[in-house]
Amino acid sequence: MNEFMEPKAVLLKKLGTNETTGLSPECVEENRRKYGENTLTRPKPESLWKRIWDAATEPMIIMLIAAGLIALAVNIFQGMTGGEADFLECVGIFLAIFLSVIISVVMEGKSAKAFEALSQISNNTVTKAIRNGETVMLNQDELVVGDVLLLSTGDKIPADGRLLESTGLSADESALTGESLPAKKDAEGIFYDEKTPLAERANMLYSGTYVTGGYGKMVITAVGDTTEFGKIARELGGVEKASTPLQEKLAHLGKVITILGVIAASIVFLSQLISFAAHDGLKLEEVMEAFVTSIVLIVAAVPEGLPTIVAVSLSINIIKLSKQNALVKKMIASETIGCINVICSDKTGTLTENKMTVGGFYDNGWHTDTSKLSSTWLIHNICLNTTADLGQNGTFIGNPTECAMLNFFEKSHIRKKNGKSYRDERNEHDILCAFPFSSELKHMTTVSKVDGKIIAYVKGSPEYVFEMCSLNEQKKKEIETHIIQAQEKAMRVIAFAHKELSEIKDFKEEACHREMESDMVFDGFVAISDPLRRDVYDAVKSCRNAGVALKILTGDNIVTATAIANELHLLDNGGIAVEAGEIADISDEELAEKLPSISVIARSTPTIKMRVVKLLKAAGNVVAVTGDGINDAPALKNADVGIAMGISGTEVSKEASDIVLLDDSFSTIVKAVEWGRNIYENFKRFISFQLTVNLASVVVVFVSILLGLKTPFTALELLWINIIMDGPPALTLGLEPNYADLMSQKPTKRGESIISRVMLGRIAITCPLYSLPNICLIS
């Protein structure tokens, strides 16, 4: 149901409610049965046994299990027939299996708690509602579709709803839509396009967002799983568990080793049977001995110490990364991030600070040094013609645009010189009357008594303020030039004007109000934006040099997103910016063709973000997603590496991610990429070492058997060599320090084998040095 397209009367009738009296007790229960509870359905978590089963069905582990079971059966048979049974070998094999499985389970980590974090967003929210003609306070889980809610500044929205009334209403929807500025709301708005983006549905409010200004009345149209947050929760629960590039490469390596090990064991077993048959005939004891010999060969082929070394190496590197302000939640992500070649980043709170800031102002000239504020008229307009406040440590309370202006004044030289805060200015001057901002008026007016004079202050949209002022064309063109330059940088412009009044009148009367807001004096304007984080420019440049592409997937509008992309030079080499609506209906094949040239997708929804990530991965890319909002959570969870902001990020985004940036610094991602690349290079070193040792063991056992000699090692001795003797040297190779040229190399391709031709050559050359002396000694 597209509630934002329905006339209010039709919608109320559909929902069986009344704007004045709300729902009756009977209708409450009926709607609860019909539309459901205002809670999120919890998916069944993956059990520990399921995770153990997944770890135990890896190719190398299956081969070890088969070898262990065969060895156990052979030893049981030998024990029952009076032969010599060596159960210690069986214990050794199963201990190696147990160790590998446990470490694999630990590497996978506990299942993400994103859903639980999401379900806690609206917990304990108490809302004012109308039921059966009375105003009551209800908890969020008591609300049903059709309930009429009364909302005011600071309220958290407990469900999705259609506005019935609104006065100067605005809502902070940044966590859901990615829009930096509060969304202006209008109960009278009706939309005719069902594809209208979420951020542009001015007649709707959504669960989990906040009212930042004004007040209104809304009827609930969706609860629980059917809200926009509920849809995100379902996407989080439905994300399939995907393997990382390293896991894919290790799985492939395991399959290859398994096949080669089984082939070698089969050759040895068959050759022994043929030898026995040619000489003394087949005897049961000799067949059993051939079985044990084959098992020894399989044990020799499998690098049992590899999972242990990988886990220990990753654990140590996680500690090192935490000192670089990157908290790794999923162990294998510390390596995967080194392989990424595409970063899909949110804009608000990730590339930008998600804190509105005055970037420049105009009084009689344009200033980029915002500390040089000196105009008394601007100061009084900012302090007296606003209703917002600043909390401790500069936190914003109220409308972010007004807060940005107050912060601008508080950091100015004149504030420090005079020692008067905006609160002092408000206390020293009487506010006689105020006309709050509305979507119709596009401005706010406050009449104050200042130093014995009655002054009307106006702030608002420049075109509306211009109409109130007496400006000559030359001055107006000069001001408009600066305004256009600011708007081209996606900055929001707020203009100021004042007028001295001779007497106090009833300014609510239309004629008096019109007279008050005419022939005013234009005082200037401020340009406000959500600025890029200081480290982003250098970090993006470093990523580009390292062969890592950046794509901005934001819920913000295309003008702002394009301006940010231009600042970061993302559109310089043929990159384009599109809106999500332009690509929503095209096929995956068409979108996959266009994605390499798309650098910005504005008005992105959680579904679009996740679709883009899946297509990029399907094309062979290793994808990282960065974000801080609830709308980023599905893409974060579906990416090869999900990276959340630790300070500004929501709990949902943190729980859905693999890595959390403790300092919210985009440059920390570059450090993590460098560390990840080094981890991968170190893995290649110790895998090369391990495989050389294992191949030498296989050659020694294989040649000894073919020469008719006794097996030189037992299975237990080989396990000791692989895990205990070779483990520490291999681990040392896995902890080599970073090399200086890592970030100038191209990223490792997703399908690239972890065993390169160079590595194979080294193994082939080194293996005889290990095996030949042992064969000669045995002979």
Side-chain angles (χ1 to χ4, degrees), residues 9-19 21-28 30-31 34-35 145-148 219-220:
V10 174
L11 183 61
L12 289 167
K13 187 176 180 181
K14 277 186 179 180
L15 300 178
T17 188
N18 183 280
E19 182 176 353
T21 60
L23 290 171
S24 65
E26 296 79 16
C27 288
V28 169
E30 182 182 343
N31 282 10
K34 186 176 181 181
Y35 299 105
V145 169
D147 268 324
V148 176
V219 59
I220 293 178

Side-chain angles (χ1 to χ4, degrees), residues 529-637:
S529 67
D530 182 11
L532 285 169
R533 296 180 182 275
R534 292 180 182 179
D535 62 325
V536 165
Y537 297 98
D538 292 336
V540 171
K541 185 178 178 181
S542 297
C543 285
R544 193 179 295 116
N545 293 337
V548 181
L550 175 66
K551 296 183 185 295
I552 298 177
L553 275 56
T554 177
D556 221 329
N557 63 73
I558 195 164
V559 176
T560 304
T562 302
I564 295 296
N566 282 325
E567 280 193 68
L568 296 173
H569 304 288
L570 298 182
L571 306 179
D572 289 357
N573 299 315
I576 61 172
V578 299
E579 283 197 337
E582 298 175 39
I583 60 174
D585 295 330
I586 66 175
S587 67
D588 285 350
E589 291 75 17
E590 290 178 274
L591 182 54
E593 286 181 16
K594 292 183 177 182
L595 272 179
S597 61
I598 295 175
S599 297
V600 177
I601 301 179
R603 294 300 188 207
S604 290
T605 62
T607 303
I608 285 289
K609 290 183 179 183
M610 197 159 67
R611 183 185 176 197
V612 168
V613 169
K614 286 182 177 180
L615 288 177
L616 287 170
K617 288 172 65 177
N621 297 289
V622 182
V623 184
V625 171
T626 68
D628 69 334
I630 293 161
N631 59 328
D632 301 313
L636 285 168
K637 194 171 182 183

Side-chain angles (χ1 to χ4, degrees), residues 60-291:
M60 286 192 287
I61 302 300
I62 289 174
M63 190 165 67
L64 273 180
I65 291 173
L69 291 175
I70 293 170
L72 182 62
V74 168
N75 280 289
I76 290 174
F77 181 82
Q78 287 180 335
M80 292 175 65
T81 56
E84 186 179 348
D86 187 1
F87 289 103
L88 192 58
E89 285 194 355
C90 301
V91 172
I93 294 173
F94 284 112
L95 278 176
I97 294 168
F98 177 78
L99 184 62
S100 296
V101 169
I102 292 300
I103 289 174
S104 296
V105 170
V106 171
M107 283 176 68
E108 286 303 313
K110 296 179 180 179
S111 56
K113 297 179 181 178
F115 183 90
E116 286 73 8
L118 189 61
S119 65
Q120 295 297 319
I121 287 175
S122 297
N123 275 5
N124 302 319
T125 298
V126 179
T127 308
K128 189 183 292 184
I130 299 174
R131 273 194 184 173
N132 207 27
E134 297 182 0
T135 302
V136 295
M137 302 300 291
L138 299 174
N139 290 326
Q140 63 95 20
D141 56 358
E142 296 177 287
L143 298 172
V144 298
V145 169
D147 268 324
V148 176
L149 307 184
L150 303 175
L151 303 166
S152 57
T153 302
D155 285 347
K156 183 188 288 186
I157 313 300
D160 292 0
R162 168 70 183 274
L163 281 169
L164 302 173
E165 298 175 8
S166 64
T167 303
L169 191 68
S170 59
D172 178 3
E173 298 178 341
S174 60
L176 184 63
T177 66
E179 183 74 63
S180 306
L181 293 168
K184 302 297 180 184
K185 298 297 178 178
D186 181 8
E188 302 305 317
I190 296 180
F191 301 88
Y192 301 99
D193 184 359
E194 63 180 13
K195 295 180 182 178
T196 303
L198 205 70
E200 296 178 9
R201 298 175 188 174
N203 59 6
M204 295 289 294
L205 290 172
Y206 295 102
S207 174
T209 62
Y210 295 85
V211 177
T212 58
Y215 52 91
K217 180 190 287 187
M218 87 168 194
V219 59
I220 293 178
T221 57
V223 294
D225 294 338
T226 57
T227 63
E228 293 301 323
F229 273 22
K231 293 173 185 176
I232 292 174
R234 287 205 304 274
E235 288 176 356
L236 281 173
V239 171
E240 294 180 3
K241 189 177 177 182
S243 57
T244 67
L246 179 63
Q247 289 171 324
E248 291 168 4
K249 290 169 185 177
L250 290 177
H252 177 71
L253 178 63
K255 289 177 183 177
V256 172
I257 292 173
T258 300
I259 293 169
L260 294 177
V262 170
I263 290 172
S266 300
I267 291 172
V268 167
F269 181 63
L270 290 173
S271 64
Q272 284 184 304
L273 290 184
I274 293 169
S275 176
F276 294 150
H279 292 86
D280 305 324
L282 290 177
K283 296 180 181 178
L284 186 59
E285 290 182 4
E286 291 175 338
V287 172
M288 290 301 175
E289 187 180 340
F291 255 123

Side-chain angles (χ1 to χ4, degrees), residues 424-729:
D424 295 328
E425 293 285 353
R426 289 176 179 177
N427 292 332
E428 291 179 6
H429 304 100
D430 297 327
I431 296 176
L432 304 178
C433 61
F435 300 90
F437 180 92
S438 70
S439 56
E440 295 82 18
L441 295 174
K442 300 291 184 183
H443 67 274
M444 176 180 178
T445 304
T446 300
V447 180
S448 300
K449 193 170 185 179
V450 179
D451 300 329
K453 299 176 182 179
I454 301 170
I455 309 291
Y457 295 102
V458 168
K459 78 171 192 300
S461 179
E463 55 268 27
Y464 284 86
V465 175
F466 279 153
E467 291 177 3
M468 304 175 192
C469 299
S470 301
L471 279 170
N472 63 57
E473 284 303 312
Q474 185 179 353
K475 189 67 174 176
K476 187 177 179 182
K477 284 183 180 179
E478 178 197 335
I479 297 167
E480 285 178 335
T481 300
H482 292 295
I483 288 175
I484 291 169
Q485 289 174 347
Q487 289 175 335
E488 286 175 347
K489 296 179 180 177
M491 303 178 90
R492 186 183 186 191
V493 174
I494 307 294
F496 302 97
H498 80 277
K499 181 179 181 179
E500 186 175 340
L501 306 175
S502 57
E503 59 180 331
I504 300 175
K505 299 179 181 180
D506 184 3
F507 297 115
K508 291 184 180 179
E509 290 187 6
E510 187 176 345
C512 293
H513 194 94
R514 190 163 54 248
E515 181 187 350
M516 174 185 66
E517 293 181 347
S518 62
D519 297 321
M520 302 191 84
V521 178
F522 186 83
D523 298 324
F525 67 84
V526 295
I528 301 174
S529 67
D530 182 11
L532 285 169
R533 296 180 182 275
R534 292 180 182 179
D535 62 325
V536 165
Y537 297 98
D538 292 336
V540 171
K541 185 178 178 181
S542 297
C543 285
R544 193 179 295 116
N545 293 337
V548 181
L550 175 66
K551 296 183 185 295
I552 298 177
L553 275 56
T554 177
D556 221 329
N557 63 73
I558 195 164
V559 176
T560 304
T562 302
I564 295 296
N566 282 325
E567 280 193 68
L568 296 173
H569 304 288
L570 298 182
L571 306 179
D572 289 357
N573 299 315
I576 61 172
V578 299
E579 283 197 337
E582 298 175 39
I583 60 174
D585 295 330
I586 66 175
S587 67
D588 285 350
E589 291 75 17
E590 290 178 274
L591 182 54
E593 286 181 16
K594 292 183 177 182
L595 272 179
S597 61
I598 295 175
S599 297
V600 177
I601 301 179
R603 294 300 188 207
S604 290
T605 62
T607 303
I608 285 289
K609 290 183 179 183
M610 197 159 67
R611 183 185 176 197
V612 168
V613 169
K614 286 182 177 180
L615 288 177
L616 287 170
K617 288 172 65 177
N621 297 289
V622 182
V623 184
V625 171
T626 68
D628 69 334
I630 293 161
N631 59 328
D632 301 313
L636 285 168
K637 194 171 182 183
N638 196 70
D640 289 305
V641 184
I643 305 169
M645 302 295 121
I647 300 173
S648 62
T650 60
E651 288 304 312
V652 179
S653 65
K654 293 176 191 175
E655 292 295 349
S657 66
D658 303 307
I659 297 175
V660 178
L661 303 184
L662 301 178
D663 56 357
D664 280 15
S665 173
F666 201 82
S667 62
T668 303
I669 297 175
V670 179
K671 296 176 187 174
V673 169
E674 184 177 359
W675 275 92
R677 289 187 175 188
N678 187 65
I679 292 169
Y680 183 72
E681 290 300 316
N682 287 343
F683 278 176
K684 289 168 70 174
R685 293 186 188 97
F686 73 64
I687 287 173
S688 178
F689 172 78
Q690 280 266 290
L691 292 184
T692 301
V693 173
N694 279 68
L695 183 58
S697 301
V698 169
V699 169
V700 169
V701 173
F702 189 77
V703 172
S704 298
I705 293 169
L706 292 181
L707 291 175
L709 302 172
K710 188 177 180 182
T711 307
F713 307 110
T714 65
L716 190 62
E717 288 168 345
L718 285 171
L719 287 171
W720 181 270
I721 292 170
N722 283 338
I723 297 175
I724 306 301
M725 292 183 66
D726 292 340

